[in-house]
Amino acid sequence: MIKSWLQSYVYEPVLTKKDIKSSKKKKGARASNWRKVLGRIWKIVDEQRGLLVIVLLMVILSSILSLLGPYLIGKIIDDHMMKGEYSGLKEMIFGLVLIYMGLSISIFLQNYWMIGVAQHTVYQMRTGLFSKLQQLPIAFFDKRQHGELMSRMTNDMDNISSTLNSTFIQVFSSVLTLVGTVVVMLTMSPFLTFLTMLIIPIMFISTRWITRRTGKLFKTQQQALGALNGMIEETISGQRVVKAFSQEQRMIDEFTEKSGYLRRVGYWANVYSGAIPKTMNLLNNSSFAIVAGVGGLLALKGYVSIGTIVVFAEYTRQFTRPLNDLSNQFNNVLSAIAGAERVFAIMDEEEEQDQGKNEAKHTIQGDVKFEDVSFRYDVEEDAPTISHINFHIQKGQTAALVGSTGAGKTTIMQLLARFYDSQQGKILIDDRPIQTMSRQNLRSQMAFVLQEPFLFEATVKDNIRYGQLQATDEEIIDAAKKANAHDFIMSLPNGYDTFLTADGGEISQGQKQLLSIARALVANPSILLLDEATSSIDTVTELAIQEALERLMKGRTSLVIAHRLNTVRTADLILVMEEGQLVESGMREKLIAKKGIFYQMLQQSTL
């Protein structure tokens, strides 16, 4: 029964002998990483140097006052109470009250100001992390769960914040109190000080044994929490798919497995970390008992005074308390370091390389060429995703990309927008390699209308304005009218000021698409990238969208992933993709006459 209970909590990959041996081998590297992480945090903390100095002065003051209190109590006992001398006793008691009032005030002020330092530090880190995420390439987000990234932004940051709020003051205060207490104790009784010191080696050995295990567990706990958050975010976002395919139980089972793993890791992390204060309390009480017993015998023989024993017993508490606090804070530091390490890992990711980022903005005409372009998402893969692609779309033309799923159509769009850069060949716009253009300049003159439009939690007006932040209200309304969206917008409760929740849950799929077209229109782009968005829309809405798309594409270079025959009929150029290769290209009539792959697609009604 006991074995079964243990097996329900022990998760072998967490604490196997192999893991322990591995952690011993990597001990030096891990310590070096901790120092590096702490050094980076300190650089941000140091920005608040002035406030930090005030906090440290308050800590020094509180440490001095905490030492003066017991000393004054001893003087009251020896000089007044034991001798029956009450002259000046009121003044001593009043002084004692002032000391403890000053101690309380200094502790309040140091905590108050330290919270400001901690919040500024976390603000800087959170802002830096969010800014970094905006600079990372699309490939980074394609390989990671969004919920896991959100966990770094929230849970890991909260860990760092709570640790900074308390740990910095606690560590500095504990060190000062420890040093001050030892000095005062030595002046009072070196022998009793020696007895008190006997617990230090035991404390050190026990704490070291425990923390060697908690470090790995806290890091694993943060990783498990990030994975669980990623799964939750993914499940909530895909709730319609989960219900449509009746996969509720499978998702519950998967969640139970991940949550169970987090429970087991968290269980052992807290079991080990929780053992520290219990061990320290045992050693504290043992030390107190030894000092009280031996001190009592010494007092009976007249070697020390009663006041000295009382003061020494209090100082023994003050001596062991900082050691206990330092041990407890060490667990918090381990957890915060694990979180900070995950945050800094993102901040150290390589940003998008932009050779032309300093160029002056110039207007793109829209002449597009692919010359022998090959690309693979994973450079270690043998087969490229697309291979030796060549085509030319003249300014103002519409090119339709057709082909089966996985043929490489979306990849071509992503390369043109420089979400990825090709490993071979050239992509030119207006006879200029796009690698020499600023990504911001390039994308600011492109517009995207995707099959699954995305709307922000904002007003209808702000969602359209996202295409051009400087657009006036009149320009937004004009774009909405051209997109056939104005009528349905005016039927909403507050018209253009209607607030949409996350991803526009209050409106239909077709209405979302009309808003995304209006967003593209207000951007007034030179090049359009369209993943034709009428495949899951009713017939009436499809006609409205098709009409809006025709207005949007007029006079602009357009690259369209075609799902419907209508788009193919009106295209100036058809590009037929198959298994990453461009197998046919040309006008519709020419390809039909050729009776090749495109002709077969028409015969099989795959368009």
Side-chain angles (χ1 to χ4, degrees), residues 126-361:
R126 186 181 285 116
T127 303
L129 177 59
F130 187 80
S131 298
K132 181 71 177 188
L133 289 172
Q134 308 312 306
Q135 305 302 320
L136 293 174
I138 292 293
F140 172 85
F141 298 96
D142 287 345
K143 295 176 182 177
R144 286 168 172 80
Q145 283 185 311
H146 296 171
E148 196 271 341
L149 294 176
M150 290 167 61
S151 180
R152 301 193 191 210
M153 181 71 74
T154 54
N155 296 324
D156 290 338
M157 286 296 184
D158 287 343
N159 249 348
I160 297 167
S161 177
S162 60
T163 301
L164 282 175
N165 281 337
S166 59
T167 300
F168 178 82
I169 292 176
Q170 195 68 61
V171 169
F172 192 70
S173 176
S174 296
V175 171
L176 283 179
T177 303
L178 196 62
V179 173
T181 303
V182 171
V183 171
V184 176
M185 288 169 68
L186 284 171
T187 61
M188 296 181 69
S189 174
F191 178 66
L192 289 177
T193 304
F194 170 74
L195 290 179
T196 305
M197 294 286 193
L198 289 177
I199 67 166
I200 292 180
I202 303 174
M203 280 186 168
F204 177 77
I205 292 170
S206 59
T207 302
R208 179 177 172 81
W209 185 86
I210 294 170
T211 54
R212 284 173 64 186
R213 286 153 177 79
T214 55
K216 176 180 175 60
L217 286 167
F218 277 124
K219 185 172 183 178
T220 307
Q221 183 181 22
Q222 292 301 110
Q223 292 170 342
L225 181 60
L228 184 65
N229 284 336
M231 187 257 179
I232 293 170
E233 190 271 341
E234 187 179 73
T235 305
I236 292 174
S237 299
Q239 194 58 217
R240 285 185 176 86
V241 178
V242 172
K243 291 188 180 300
F245 289 92
S246 301
Q247 293 296 311
E248 293 92 341
Q249 189 57 48
R250 189 182 74 82
M251 301 311 298
I252 291 171
D253 293 341
E254 185 178 339
F255 178 84
T256 302
E257 181 183 348
K258 289 182 181 293
S259 183
Y261 177 50
L262 177 60
R263 174 181 66 93
R264 290 188 290 271
V265 175
Y267 173 83
W268 285 111
N270 285 283
V271 163
Y272 278 114
S273 64
I276 290 181
K278 307 300 184 292
T279 304
M280 295 302 110
N281 284 334
L282 174 63
L283 295 174
N284 291 347
N285 292 330
S286 301
S287 176
F288 181 81
I290 292 171
V291 169
V294 175
L297 291 174
L298 293 175
L300 289 174
K301 294 182 180 293
Y303 292 115
V304 293
S305 67
I306 297 297
T308 299
I309 297 302
V310 172
V311 175
F312 216 93
E314 180 59 27
Y315 278 146
T316 300
R317 292 282 193 189
Q318 289 201 184
F319 173 76
T320 53
R321 190 184 302 120
L323 293 176
N324 193 11
D325 290 340
L326 287 171
S327 300
N328 290 334
Q329 293 303 326
F330 192 72
N331 285 316
N332 294 334
V333 170
L334 288 177
S335 181
I337 286 176
E341 196 171 8
R342 282 160 47 82
V343 170
F344 289 136
I346 300 295
M347 296 179 77
D348 291 337
E349 288 283 342
E350 187 176 352
E351 297 180 4
E352 273 189 331
Q353 299 302 312
D354 204 352
Q355 296 178 11
K357 63 181 179 180
N358 295 320
E359 70 170 354
K361 184 173 181 178

Side-chain angles (χ1 to χ4, degrees), residues 519-530:
R519 180 191 292 167
L521 278 162
V522 84
N524 192 26
S526 299
I527 297 175
L528 286 168
L529 302 178
L530 310 175

Side-chain angles (χ1 to χ4, degrees), residues 10 75 99 107 146 156 169 241 247 360 388 390 393 466 471 483 508 520-521 601:
V10 176
K75 296 290 288 181
I99 285 173
I107 290 174
H146 296 171
D156 290 338
I169 292 176
V241 178
Q247 293 296 311
H388 305 291
N390 292 276
I393 308 172
Y466 202 81
S508 70
L521 278 162
M601 292 174 68

Side-chain angles (χ1 to χ4, degrees), residues 409-518:
K409 305 185 296 295
T410 300
T411 299
I412 287 177
M413 281 195 172
Q414 299 211 71
L415 291 176
L416 184 58
R418 288 199 69 193
F419 291 149
Y420 295 87
D421 282 329
S422 61
Q423 289 99 13
Q424 179 183 326
K426 291 181 181 180
I427 302 174
L428 303 101
I429 294 180
D430 302 338
D431 290 324
R432 180 180 173 185
I434 62 173
Q435 282 82 2
T436 65
M437 296 182 182
S438 158
R439 277 189 171 90
Q440 184 176 2
N441 184 27
L442 176 66
R443 294 171 187 165
S444 68
Q445 298 184 67
M446 289 182 173
F448 300 81
V449 179
L450 305 178
Q451 193 171 2
E452 291 293 332
F454 183 85
L455 299 179
F456 295 91
E457 192 168 344
T459 64
V460 170
K461 185 188 298 180
D462 288 337
N463 267 286
I464 298 175
R465 184 177 276 126
Y466 202 81
Q468 175 56 261
L469 297 182
Q470 288 74 38
T472 64
D473 289 354
E474 290 74 17
E475 289 172 331
I476 289 171
I477 294 171
D478 182 58
K481 287 179 177 178
K482 290 178 179 176
N484 290 336
H486 179 74
D487 290 342
F488 96 79
I489 292 174
M490 294 307 295
S491 69
L492 295 174
N494 296 307
Y496 285 85
D497 292 319
T498 300
F499 193 86
L500 302 177
T501 56
D503 203 21
E506 304 89 342
I507 59 178
S508 70
Q509 184 73 12
Q511 290 170 335
K512 291 180 189 178
Q513 198 60 264
L514 292 174
L515 289 183
S516 72
I517 294 172

